[in-house]
Amino acid sequence: MNSTNPNNWKGLPLAEVDTPSLLLDADALQANIDRMAAFFVNRPSGLRPHFKSHKCTKIVRLQMQAGAVGITCAKLGEAEVLADAGIREILIANQIVGHVKIARLIQLAKRAAPIVAVDSEENARMLSAAASAANVEIRALVEVDIGLNRCGVKSGAPALALTRLIASLPGIKFEGLQGYEGHLVDLPDEAERAEKTRAALKPLVETRRLIESSGIPVNIVTGGSTGTYTFTGDFPGVDEVQAGSYAAMDWYYFDIRPEFRQAMSILTTVISRPAPDIAIVDVGRKGVGAEFGPPRVKDLPGASIARFGSEEHASISLPKDCNMSVGDHLELIPSHGCTTSNLYREFIVHRHGVVEDVWPIEGSGQMR
């Protein structure tokens, strides 16, 4: 291989791909998308996958084709990328605050149908004033804190009060509620995760009933994750699940949800063999999302990460009698797929060890 342009790698074996590169197993990806979509067949809730996990509009199209009701994202910049790709039904699961961002949201509303989260009177009035002046309508969800202690108003009366305000304002339409059980999604014991997730969702759905009894329709109640989709997706009164990591997977979620396959990995090259049981590869903290721990070595039983503190290197402990040589490739599985995909500009999509395509990660770096 004599090209550094990934688009010229199509048809090459992975052994000829430059490194580090972010790989995506096409068969595993499709199996994951199909499995999650199948769960929601004949259920009252729908799947609104989270874009922040993979940030790739090619994957979004596969998710929409499989029956997703829309797409969730974390940032306004991600929503703009989705709109550029022709996606209209976009939930920005965050507060859009400040005149610069609200002006961008108004422009987005002219070519898509965004929904935003709101948890304060000040933000609701900002959105109302800007939308009214531009003669557009912004759909809004009241975010309810169900135990994460991040954004969100309290359930019950405080949520009802904010709902009534939004319903009274021009330019902004109350669409429903958002509540995210993010503090529970990685509990290792499934029974405990199920019990605590259902307990967290109870006040969210009770708030829905309170709002509906006041005469205000609630069209959407949304939340959930890959770790809790089987509980959130079956909970009466919840309409949408925002699972995201299931598509590409990382090892942290795989330990919790082994029914999904690990489609994402990082291809690396062994650049040094300083000891018989050690290999140094050409990726470090700059190239692997490792918030939940160092990466794991793929398809090499007995190998593990010996040291992962450098920016550009990782030290691999090899099994006895391993004949790994300088120049050989190793794949690593990150602990956090969301932050890993944010570090790369493309997925090298492969099938049976051969590069099939190169997909842009258009949402990479979209922090605003």
Side-chain angles (χ1 to χ4, degrees):
M1 181 191 67
N2 54 19
S3 174
T4 58
N5 183 348
N7 287 305
N8 294 330
W9 300 348
K10 298 174 189 177
L12 293 178
L14 290 180
E16 295 186 32
V17 168
D18 198 10
T19 62
S21 286
L22 186 60
L23 304 184
L24 191 65
D25 183 320
D27 289 335
L29 169 71
Q30 191 62 58
N32 291 343
I33 290 173
D34 291 345
R35 175 179 283 275
M36 183 64 86
F39 174 83
F40 288 93
V41 174
N42 299 322
R43 280 186 166 84
S45 58
L47 175 64
R48 188 186 285 266
H50 216 308
F51 183 63
K52 75 178 180 71
S53 297
H54 53 74
K55 302 175 178 62
C56 173
T57 64
K58 291 274 193 180
I59 298 177
V60 164
R61 290 190 181 96
L62 294 176
Q63 292 173 315
M64 295 296 290
Q65 290 167 12
V69 299
I71 299 296
T72 308
C73 63
K75 294 290 188 172
L76 181 58
E78 293 177 342
E80 291 166 335
V81 165
L82 289 165
D84 289 344
I87 305 300
R88 284 192 51 80
E89 186 60 37
I90 305 167
L91 166 59
I92 308 170
N94 215 330
Q95 288 69 27
I96 304 301
V97 177
H99 70 276
V100 173
K101 282 190 173 63
I102 291 176
R104 287 167 56 199
L105 178 65
I106 296 302
Q107 292 305 309
L108 179 66
K110 295 178 181 179
R111 60 193 181 104
I115 311 173
V116 299
V118 176
D119 71 353
S120 68
E121 176 181 345
E122 295 89 344
N123 191 200
R125 292 190 182 279
M126 291 175 192
L127 293 170
S128 171
S132 297
N135 197 30
V136 300
E137 184 176 72
I138 300 297
R139 297 187 293 165
L141 302 177
V142 169
E143 183 164 8
V144 178
D145 178 13
I146 59 173
L148 182 57
N149 296 324
R150 195 170 64 183
C151 296
V153 297
K154 298 299 182 185
S155 58
L160 174 60
L162 182 55
T163 296
R164 282 175 166 157
L165 171 68
I166 291 172
S168 73
L169 292 172
I172 183 170
K173 179 188 177 186
F174 172 75
E175 198 72 66
L177 302 174
Q178 172 175 282
Y180 177 45
E181 66 281 16
H183 56 304
L184 305 173
V185 301
D186 58 355
L187 291 175
D189 183 80
E190 184 172 6
E192 180 186 12
R193 197 177 345 125
E195 179 184 2
K196 290 185 175 180
T197 295
R198 291 173 182 133
L201 293 173
K202 187 171 181 288
L204 179 66
V205 173
E206 288 174 347
T207 301
R208 174 184 197 151
R209 303 305 178 208
L210 177 66
I211 292 169
E212 289 172 333
S213 69
S214 76
I216 300 174
V218 178
N219 297 323
I220 299 171
V221 172
T222 181
S225 71
T226 296
T228 60
Y229 78 95
T230 49
F231 323 129
T232 309
D234 256 345
F235 198 85
V238 174
D239 303 296
E240 296 180 358
V241 175
Q242 301 174 15
S245 293
Y246 75 92
M249 288 301 278
D250 47 45
W251 71 249
Y252 190 74
Y253 254 131
F254 179 76
D255 285 357
I256 296 167
R257 289 294 188 185
E259 65 265 36
F260 296 103
R261 295 166 60 182
Q262 290 175 319
M264 175 192 290
S265 64
I266 300 149
L267 187 67
T268 72
T269 298
V270 176
I271 59 172
S272 180
R273 290 284 269 112
D277 61 342
I278 294 292
I280 307 299
V281 296
D282 61 345
V283 74
R285 289 188 171 273
K286 283 184 178 178
V288 184
E291 290 82 0
F292 303 130
R296 292 177 180 172
V297 182
K298 181 179 179 180
D299 296 336
L300 186 59
S304 61
I305 301 296
R307 191 170 70 248
F308 191 70
S310 301
E311 295 179 15
E312 308 291 358
H313 306 81
S315 178
I316 312 294
S317 176
L318 298 174
K320 197 172 184 179
D321 300 325
C322 179
N323 60 358
M324 186 73 58
S325 299
V326 169
D328 287 347
H329 281 177
L330 278 175
E331 291 181 47
L332 303 182
I333 300 170
S335 66
H336 196 182
C338 303
T339 52
T340 299
S341 62
N342 196 52
L343 299 172
Y344 292 82
R345 299 300 174 261
E346 66 277 318
F347 281 113
I348 308 304
V349 183
H350 63 96
R351 197 186 306 266
H352 308 306
V354 176
V355 177
E356 185 171 277
D357 208 348
V358 177
W359 292 353
I361 305 177
E362 303 99 325
S364 173
Q366 295 290 345
M367 294 184 291
R368 297 189 182 94

